[in-house]
Amino acid sequence: FIIIITHHGDIEDRNASNKMAEAKKMSWREMRGLRLIMHELGHPGNKPFAIGFGVCLAGVLYFQSTATNEMKADSKYWQSFHAAPNDKKPH
């Protein structure tokens, strides 16, 4: 048999620590921003959505980063919303 001897204060400190941790817990309704996103990703039903969102985000970032200046100049959308006023090309 192993006998563990602890001070009574250690147990009280642990209990107080546990109570503080429970008091800091938030419901999902109180969470905002990244904390809420990470909480929702913990649910198994949301994993396929998260994977799809990540794939779409990666695709957008890839295509945005590979757009050349020539492609941007030929794009009516880019010229309308992103080009500097001096760089705009009339369509």
Side-chain angles (χ1 to χ4, degrees), residues 19-49:
K19 286 180 184 176
M20 285 175 41
E22 287 177 15
K24 289 182 182 178
K25 283 187 180 176
M26 302 174 97
S27 76
W28 65 270
R29 292 174 190 252
E30 299 169 325
M31 294 179 187
R32 299 283 184 265
L34 191 57
R35 179 180 282 185
L36 178 60
I37 291 170
M38 296 310 293
H39 171 77
E40 288 299 323
L41 289 178
H43 297 291
N46 292 340
K47 298 258 190 236
F49 169 76

Side-chain angles (χ1 to χ4, degrees), residues 6-27:
T6 61
H7 293 87
H8 185 66
D10 292 343
I11 295 172
E12 289 175 356
D13 290 342
R14 228 176 293 141
N15 287 340
S17 176
N18 288 342
K19 286 180 184 176
M20 285 175 41
E22 287 177 15
K24 289 182 182 178
K25 283 187 180 176
M26 302 174 97
S27 76

Side-chain angles (χ1 to χ4, degrees), residues 27-76:
S27 76
W28 65 270
R29 292 174 190 252
E30 299 169 325
M31 294 179 187
R32 299 283 184 265
L34 191 57
R35 179 180 282 185
L36 178 60
I37 291 170
M38 296 310 293
H39 171 77
E40 288 299 323
L41 289 178
H43 297 291
N46 292 340
K47 298 258 190 236
F49 169 76
I51 292 169
F53 186 76
V55 168
C56 290
L57 181 63
V60 166
L61 290 175
Y62 172 75
F63 287 119
Q64 183 67 30
S65 67
T66 59
T68 63
N69 289 335
E70 183 179 304
M71 293 167 72
K72 291 176 185 176
D74 292 338
S75 169
K76 186 174 182 177

